[in-house]
Amino acid sequence: MSRETGLSATLPPEGLPGLDPALSRVVAVPGFGVDVGRSPRWHVLDTGDALRRLGAEPLGTIIAVHGNPTWSYLWRDLLAASLRQAADGGDAWRIIAVDQLEMGYSERTSRSRGLEQRIGDLAALVRSLAPEGPIVTLGHDWGGPISLGWAVENPTRLAGAIVLNTAVHHPSEERIPFPLRVAGARGVLGAATTVTTAFLDTTLSLADPKLDPAVSSAYRSPYATTARRRGIGEFVADIPATPDHRSTPALERVSGGLGGIGVPALLLRGPTDPVFLEKHLEDLTRRMPWADVHRFEGAGHLLVEERPYAETVLAWLSDRVAPTLDSTAGAPAAASVPPDDSTPLWDRLFARRDDDGTAVIDMTAGSDGSALRVSWRQLADRVEQLAAGFHRMGVRRGDRVSLLVQPGPTLTAVLYACLRIGAVVVVADRGLGIRGLSRAVRGASPRFVVGEVAGLAAARALGWSGIRISASRLPSATARLLGVSHSLADVAARGASGVLPEPPASSDDAAVLFTSGSTGPAKGVVYTHGQLSALRDALGDHFDVHEDSGLVTGFAPFALLGPALGTRSATPEMDVSAPRTLTATAVARAVRESEAKIVFLSPAAVTNVVATSGDLDDADRAALADVRTFLSTGAPVSLELLRAAQRLMPNAVAHTPYGMTECLLVTDITLTDLEDAAASGQEGVCVGAPIGSGRVLIIPLDELGRATGALTTDPAVTGEVVISAPHLKRGYHRLWATDREATRDVAPDPTARWHRTGDVGHLDENGRLWIEGRMPHVIATSDGPVTPVGAEQSIERVHGVARAAVVGVGPEGLRQCVAVIETTAGARRAALADPSLTEAIRKSTDLPIAAVLQVRALPTDVRHNSKIDRSRLSAWAEGVLSGRTPSAP
């Protein structure tokens, strides 16, 4: 690959990976500021001629601005994707990707360019190359402030703004990120950025996975000499790190003007970026609260090289910007959701504020082993004190508050206090693991963190944002070590004579609840106050919960709903984030203490309760015999396990509702109905009919296992499960593309919200839903799509098999089915199964099984201990069957 060593503008060499040389132009642009009287020459990539050859009329022009030390090559995937879309008849956009002066293949001059000059340079180029029509700005790194600077100064032409990993403000009292401090240090700047390629090398090394050597060489190609790298050093020197820096006034004008641009905006971020941090994204969202945000979990500074960002940008342009440019189309139709007349979640708690009866029971609080009882009066008073105290210390509506406290009276009071003042509670449990939990909390960017010592220690060690508040009063030295500013006792004292603010609206966000992470990085699910109230009402109506019902729950999502339902509640002694720690005696003790008639457990908890039932004494069994309703949800529950739980609670009606973090209650089925369904011979797990006004539809699968058919309620049609309910989530937290995918092509009823669950199943002739697996686990064979659950059920009935997963290996469309099993005897290591067991497994199902592998344990999530990671197993099985030494999957 040739390297440019001169200082004039020139075209890039041919053969750069992914770059069409026909898009390159060198243009002379009348100068601005320091260039007045001359016309510097720019290199740009421009799709205008290519669109004309296609006969495609662009809706507008995207001005794409790179940062430091990249060049227009950064945007090559977007240019190519946009031309493919136009060729296929989709929306056409002209894209002009610039090489800023002193950078890339544009001219090197002797001029010094601060931020104001660069914004003016860009404006001159736009006037020259795109003098008419709507403009969408696009910027990465320091191309962000430059592109947004043009946006702020040209509101009449601006149609949209997109930025990736950038910032428009850095607090003057804070030091700039470490990599920039090092590069910009006196005595280091020139050596790191201009004399050597150190800064360029460091930036390119941030990509994960590492860049292909040819791509890395393409990024380096315009920066072959010290003279051609002068712009890199000037860019670093131009970072406005102090109030008196020459570019600070221009940056302040940009940041101060963003709130008035009034156009659709998209903020994309790679969260592992060590330069542009989460706080910079948080600052942008405060300035543009209407902006759509998508965080590509695991990606970093060079997001464009690590994730398919171009698809997201083009989809967003079609959804958000194109409709505003089509004068004949009008605004896109919004869902006509009926008015919400629900009462707030805390309504029944405060209705019982003069009641000295028990509201919440903490089974672990007493030092002598006794339970701690909190009355309705005490709980209501504590909630109001904390709410007023939080408000006095600066917690405001919309502020996110991360709760790192185990379920019990303390967490209950903090939760309802936050909801009452409109703060948004963030709940992510330890079942995600320290890495997953840290990723979740960082992504939520809480302003406040309320925690016990273990949670606060993690917050300090891992650098989580937010003012830290301890659940209990800590010794001064411990508080200083953990960075704790207040205790809940301090907060309550502040609120003892405080005044509560106006309550939030039902449409305001109330909570961000993180998924289990069993289907990828945990996602933050956003619920409004109205949706949480609808969940309370659906649960209370369907299961006939009233004041005297009493509730024992070992399932984290429902552990806090007792006060909302107006009934006493108890959480049994256990680690709620590890449900396998729950024992039968702990459940019985909680039932006895609370006189509960309803018991709510996760499948993993039920498994251990049944396994430890031999420890129950007569008093325990008598207490469990008083239970009238038993529920287990969160993952499929086997018929055998439900029967065993029923024997422990012989007078209870056993239910196994189907739901997910996005909609905690979708359908329900009782043990009696489940036994009836099992006799029908259908494949999958029957999860019953929709609860209340909820609805379930199916998108049929095509021959490759993709959900592409028309929505249907026809029986025996296998496809992706689509749901709607009043208590369905509002969306995902800062995952615009994920939100879009979850609602793609599903709007059968504009008066409702819909969600593609990612589960695959079918409806039967009675309208009951049967779950057959997850969409990513559908196996595309030469005979069509295969769902795994039915075959797994057959295999698990074979003597010697404890648990099974069916996965695919081989090329798409020709995949072969492989069974991976746990044996009842336990396997010491991963290996091919015994031939006789293999033969029995093959005979148990009509599905052709190419091989049977046995493992010590199938990989499952922590929260449920039942959601098998079939994608991971598939890759593992493919490796083993191709000759790799077997190891634990």
Side-chain angles (χ1 to χ4, degrees):
M1 181 183 299
S2 64
R3 300 187 305 164
E4 180 59 36
T5 58
L7 302 181
S8 300
T10 186
L11 298 177
E14 295 191 8
L16 300 185
L19 183 63
D20 181 355
L23 301 179
S24 277
R25 303 170 57 191
V26 172
V27 295
V29 174
F32 163 82
V34 298
D35 294 313
V36 168
R38 61 184 303 273
S39 295
R41 292 167 62 80
W42 298 60
H43 167 255
V44 300
L45 300 175
D46 187 350
T47 63
D49 288 343
L51 290 175
R52 281 189 286 275
R53 289 192 294 271
L54 290 172
E57 183 67 27
L59 294 173
T61 301
I62 299 171
I63 302 296
V65 187
H66 66 83
N68 187 32
T70 56
W71 55 286
S72 57
Y73 184 72
L74 183 83
W75 307 112
R76 67 194 183 282
D77 287 348
L78 179 61
L79 273 69
S82 72
L83 290 174
R84 287 194 299 270
Q85 176 173 281
D88 291 340
D91 290 341
W93 295 90
R94 180 188 180 191
I95 302 179
I96 301 175
V98 307
D99 283 3
Q100 299 193 60
L101 294 173
E102 325 300 339
M103 303 292 287
Y105 285 94
S106 285
E107 182 179 345
R108 280 13 179 212
T109 74
S110 60
R111 275 71 171 175
S112 177
R113 300 180 190 278
L115 177 59
E116 184 171 5
Q117 176 68 38
R118 289 198 174 277
I119 294 171
D121 290 343
L122 184 65
L125 181 134
V126 173
R127 285 193 297 270
S128 180
L129 298 189
E132 298 179 344
I135 297 290
V136 176
T137 60
L138 170 62
H140 171 256
D141 186 87
W142 287 106
I146 295 166
S147 63
L148 291 174
W150 185 93
V152 167
E153 293 178 0
N154 296 271
T156 59
R157 293 194 62 192
L158 186 66
I162 309 169
V163 291
L164 298 79
N165 285 58
T166 192
V168 295
H169 173 73
H170 191 84
S172 59
E173 68 274 9
E174 293 186 17
R175 304 176 76 183
I176 62 174
F178 178 75
L180 296 179
R181 289 206 307 275
V182 172
R186 180 177 301 177
V188 177
L189 175 62
T193 61
T194 305
V195 176
T196 72
T197 61
F199 188 79
L200 179 60
D201 298 339
T202 300
T203 301
L204 297 180
S205 73
L206 295 176
D208 183 17
K210 297 299 182 186
L211 294 178
D212 180 278
V215 171
S216 181
S217 293
Y219 273 114
R220 296 172 188 277
S221 62
Y223 301 115
T225 67
T226 296
R228 291 192 61 82
R229 289 191 293 271
R230 188 178 70 87
I232 296 177
E234 281 220 340
F235 247 125
V236 174
D238 197 50
I239 296 171
T242 61
D244 57 353
H245 190 282
R246 68 171 181 176
S247 286
T248 296
L251 188 63
E252 289 178 346
R253 285 198 300 274
V254 174
S255 60
L258 287 181
I261 63 174
V263 296
L266 176 64
L267 313 177
L268 302 180
R269 171 164 167 75
T272 65
D273 189 346
V275 178
F276 296 101
L277 309 177
E278 209 69 43
K279 63 184 175 184
H280 296 127
L281 174 64
E282 192 70 19
D283 175 71
L284 284 165
T285 61
R286 283 198 296 270
R287 298 176 189 277
M288 297 186 287
W290 69 88
D292 295 307
V293 182
H294 189 87
R295 300 172 73 258
F296 289 88
E297 198 59 65
H301 183 71
L302 288 177
L303 164 63
V304 297
E305 297 293 344
E306 301 174 40
R307 294 294 187 274
Y309 84 101
E311 299 173 8
T312 299
V313 167
L314 293 173
W316 180 83
L317 288 167
S318 293
D319 286 5
R320 295 288 199 256
V321 180
T324 70
L325 304 179
D326 185 352
S327 59
T328 64
S336 176
V337 179
D340 182 3
D341 57 358
S342 61
T343 58
L345 203 65
W346 58 84
D347 186 66
R348 297 176 196 176
L349 165 61
F350 287 160
R352 300 188 66 175
R353 66 172 312 125
D354 295 326
D355 188 341
D356 289 318
T358 299
V360 179
I361 302 173
D362 187 346
M363 301 302 299
T364 62
S367 58
D368 59 353
S370 63
L372 171 67
R373 294 174 176 271
V374 177
S375 72
W376 292 99
R377 185 193 303 274
Q378 291 170 322
L379 182 59
D381 287 347
R382 187 66 166 179
V383 167
E384 287 200 337
Q385 290 168 1
L386 289 173
F390 280 136
H391 188 68
R392 286 192 66 179
M393 65 180 287
V395 182
R396 293 293 180 264
R397 183 176 303 185
D399 285 347
R400 289 181 294 279
V401 181
S402 180
L403 305 183
L404 304 176
V405 182
Q406 282 276 62
T410 298
L411 179 58
T412 301
V414 173
L415 174 83
Y416 283 90
C418 289
L419 294 176
R420 171 59 186 82
I421 61 174
V424 180
V425 296
V426 177
V427 180
D429 67 53
R430 286 182 295 159
L432 295 175
I434 192 64
R435 184 177 178 183
L437 180 60
S438 184
R439 190 162 49 198
V441 174
R442 283 178 180 274
S445 296
R447 278 199 66 207
F448 299 86
V449 176
V450 180
E452 294 163 340
V453 170
L456 294 171
R460 177 60 184 258
L462 298 170
W464 298 344
S465 65
I467 297 170
R468 296 177 197 138
I469 302 169
S470 60
S472 58
R473 200 182 294 278
L474 301 176
S476 298
T478 304
R480 284 195 302 272
L481 180 65
L482 297 178
V484 170
S485 304
H486 312 275
S487 70
L488 287 179
D490 299 332
V491 175
R494 285 192 180 198
S497 57
V499 177
L500 291 174
E502 285 295 311
S506 64
S507 58
D508 288 343
D509 289 348
V512 179
L513 310 179
F514 277 86
T515 63
S516 67
S518 60
T519 57
K523 298 182 287 290
V525 178
V526 181
Y527 279 92
T528 66
H529 285 269
Q531 289 154 9
L532 289 182
S533 294
L535 172 64
R536 172 203 63 199
D537 295 343
L539 181 65
D541 293 346
H542 186 73
F543 297 107
D544 191 27
V545 183
H546 48 78
E547 282 190 11
D548 295 325
S549 295
L551 176 66
V552 167
T553 175
F555 183 53
F558 290 108
L560 299 163
L561 277 177
L565 291 162
T567 192
R568 64 190 173 279
S569 59
T571 299
E573 187 174 359
M574 64 178 296
D575 180 348
V576 175
S577 65
R580 287 171 289 179
T581 60
L582 181 61
T583 65
T585 54
V587 173
R589 179 171 173 249
V591 168
R592 188 163 53 246
E593 288 284 347
S594 62
E595 299 181 3
K597 298 297 184 287
I598 302 174
V599 173
F600 209 143
L601 306 175
S602 73
V606 176
T607 299
N608 200 55
V609 167
V610 169
T612 58
S613 60
D615 296 331
L616 295 172
D617 59 24
D618 289 344
D620 293 333
R621 293 184 183 278
L624 293 177
D626 285 337
V627 174
R628 293 294 177 263
T629 303
F630 162 67
L631 302 89
S632 184
T633 189
V637 183
S638 71
L639 191 57
E640 292 74 17
L641 182 59
L642 209 57
R643 285 171 178 156
Q646 171 84 79
R647 287 192 289 272
L648 297 179
M649 293 170 272
N651 296 312
V653 176
H655 296 256
T656 175
Y658 160 72
M660 59 213 69
T661 310
E662 293 84 348
C663 188
L664 291 165
L665 290 173
V666 178
T667 65
D668 180 41
I669 190 168
T670 64
L671 175 58
T672 301
D673 290 338
L674 194 58
E675 289 176 322
D676 174 66
S680 70
Q682 298 189 55
E683 291 194 340
V685 176
C686 184
V687 294
I691 289 173
S693 59
R695 297 170 63 186
V696 174
L697 300 173
I698 301 294
I699 307 176
L701 301 180
D702 63 15
E703 66 279 359
L704 292 178
R706 300 169 302 194
T708 58
L711 289 159
T712 183
T713 56
D714 292 345
V717 175
T718 294
E720 184 174 6
V721 178
V722 179
I723 63 172
S724 177
H727 50 280
L728 176 65
K729 65 169 175 63
R730 177 186 67 74
Y732 292 111
H733 180 64
R734 296 184 175 173
L735 291 171
W736 179 85
T738 307
D739 258 334
R740 183 179 190 271
E741 181 61 23
T743 56
R744 177 176 52 86
D745 301 330
V746 288
D749 179 357
T751 66
R753 290 169 295 108
W754 294 84
H755 173 69
R756 299 177 72 138
T757 65
D759 287 337
V760 62
H762 69 273
L763 296 168
D764 64 18
E765 62 281 357
N766 296 315
R768 298 178 301 192
L769 176 63
W770 294 70
I771 298 298
E772 301 178 51
R774 294 280 299 166
M775 284 296 300
H777 305 153
V778 174
I779 304 167
T781 73
S782 57
D783 296 324
V786 169
T787 56
V789 170
E792 291 168 356
Q793 290 173 316
S794 298
I795 292 169
E796 287 172 352
R797 287 192 284 269
V798 173
H799 179 72
V801 175
R803 192 158 56 161
V806 173
V807 299
V809 298
E812 201 65 30
L814 298 171
R815 292 175 78 77
Q816 304 293 307
C817 296
V818 172
V820 185
I821 63 168
E822 294 175 7
T823 64
T824 53
R828 287 184 297 176
R829 58 184 177 85
L832 287 169
D834 178 83
S836 61
L837 182 56
T838 298
E839 183 63 23
I841 287 171
R842 285 175 170 151
K843 288 180 177 178
S844 71
T845 175
D846 293 333
L847 191 66
I849 300 294
V852 179
L853 299 170
Q854 64 180 30
V855 296
R856 290 186 64 182
L858 294 170
T860 60
D861 66 301
V862 175
R863 182 184 291 178
H864 304 290
N865 192 36
S866 57
K867 293 185 177 180
I868 298 170
D869 190 342
R870 296 184 184 88
S871 298
R872 176 174 159 189
L873 271 181
S874 175
W876 173 83
E878 186 130 19
V880 169
L881 294 174
S882 62
R884 191 181 305 155
T885 301
S887 59

